[in-house]
Amino acid sequence: MDIFPAIDLKEGKAVRLSKGLMDSAKIYSDTPSDLAKKFEDMGAKWLHIVDLDGAFAGEMKNFDTICNIVKATKLKVQVGGGIRDEARIKRYLDLGVRRTILGSVALNDPNFVKSMAKIYPIVVGIDAKNGFVATQGWADVSQVRAEILAKEFANAGVEAIICTDIAKDGMLGGVNVEFSLQIARASGLETIASGGVSSLDDVLRLKECGEISGVIVGKAFYEGKIDLKIAFNKIS
């Protein structure tokens, strides 16, 4: 199982939100590229980046900052937030990003995602509030259940699914293991759990399941709840 340290970007700064609310943003670093180097030094292989401004606006708002992060390390980077057409996918991949995350468009136009997955390394982001898919930076909640959307991409060539329980995100209340397993079983794809990781125990619980391929760690690291160097050693 892989651990994906997370850098969420708002106006060029590394922040964390609570339950996806932009006005809850807490700034943790003015220099996200330095954070990326720190993660690499700790033993990270992957880095998870979200352009929060882009997710809400549907545009690439933090592209220059992401460019600096990618250049700063040799980490494999996955990026999401506001990627809704092929041109943006190509722009990120040309920059050196390993794979792009398609979220809102996965619900709104699943056929587009399937077509892109045949050409590019694509991850589907499924964010859920009370089990229903939320889009547009989590501002809109649909009537589609998360596991139904996950099943849609079962044989589409998608590399992985990232599943986030919005109620857990940024709250340090423990990861929703059951929800993560539902997504993994519905899709049959590599599934990366996100939201609520509060300690090393949460990471180990996911690893022990044997069905989860990765976990995203954000606020737990920033608030000193988890030592990532120890975590990387434990799962290696």
Side-chain angles (χ1 to χ4, degrees):
M1 190 178 77
D2 288 310
I3 297 175
F4 294 73
I7 295 179
D8 289 357
L9 297 171
K10 184 174 186 286
E11 297 173 358
K13 298 177 174 61
V15 307
R16 295 304 293 176
L17 308 183
S18 296
K19 297 185 179 180
L21 301 173
M22 284 292 267
D23 59 7
S24 72
K26 181 177 179 180
I27 298 172
Y28 286 97
S29 175
D30 292 327
T31 52
S33 57
D34 289 343
L35 262 181
K37 291 177 191 173
K38 189 173 183 178
F39 290 138
E40 186 174 40
D41 290 342
M42 287 178 175
K45 298 294 187 292
W46 282 92
L47 180 64
H48 175 79
I49 300 176
V50 176
D51 178 353
L52 292 173
D53 301 303
F56 280 89
E59 301 174 12
M60 300 164 71
K61 291 287 191 178
N62 285 282
F63 184 83
D64 291 343
T65 301
I66 292 169
C67 181
N68 291 335
I69 294 171
V70 171
K71 289 179 179 178
T73 75
K74 294 181 180 179
L75 293 170
K76 292 182 283 187
V77 176
Q78 60 183 26
V79 174
I83 306 172
R84 302 190 185 157
D85 59 38
E86 185 174 5
R88 296 178 202 184
I89 293 170
K90 290 177 67 176
R91 193 174 178 197
Y92 274 128
L93 295 177
D94 289 345
L95 176 65
V97 167
R98 169 64 180 78
R99 59 194 190 185
T100 55
I101 305 162
L102 301 182
S104 296
V105 72
L107 176 67
N108 298 328
D109 191 355
N111 287 331
F112 167 75
V113 175
K114 291 174 185 178
S115 67
M116 291 298 98
K118 292 177 181 177
I119 308 170
Y120 308 108
I122 298 295
V123 175
V124 168
I126 298 180
D127 307 325
K129 185 175 286 187
N130 299 320
F132 293 93
V133 179
T135 59
Q136 311 300 128
W138 302 348
D140 299 332
V141 181
S142 73
Q143 295 300 307
V144 178
R145 293 204 60 86
E147 65 270 22
I148 299 300
L149 183 60
K151 196 171 184 178
E152 177 82 22
F153 298 103
N155 299 296
V158 170
E159 289 202 354
I161 290 182
I162 297 170
C163 59
T164 304
D165 180 350
I166 295 170
K168 293 279 190 179
D169 193 67
M171 302 308 291
L172 300 174
V175 69
N176 190 335
V177 177
E178 183 179 346
F179 171 65
S180 304
L181 287 173
Q182 284 176 347
I183 298 301
R185 291 166 182 170
S187 68
L189 297 169
E190 289 193 7
T191 298
I192 301 166
S194 173
V197 172
S198 62
S199 66
L200 179 58
D201 286 344
D202 285 324
V203 174
L204 295 178
R205 280 175 65 211
L206 288 167
K207 181 177 172 61
E208 287 165 6
C209 289
E211 298 179 62
I212 305 300
S213 64
V215 58
I216 292 171
V217 177
K219 199 168 189 176
F221 165 76
Y222 294 111
E223 293 289 329
K225 304 293 185 182
I226 186 170
D227 185 323
L228 280 177
K229 194 167 186 178
I230 292 174
F232 288 126
N233 289 331
K234 285 281 188 181
I235 67 157
S236 62

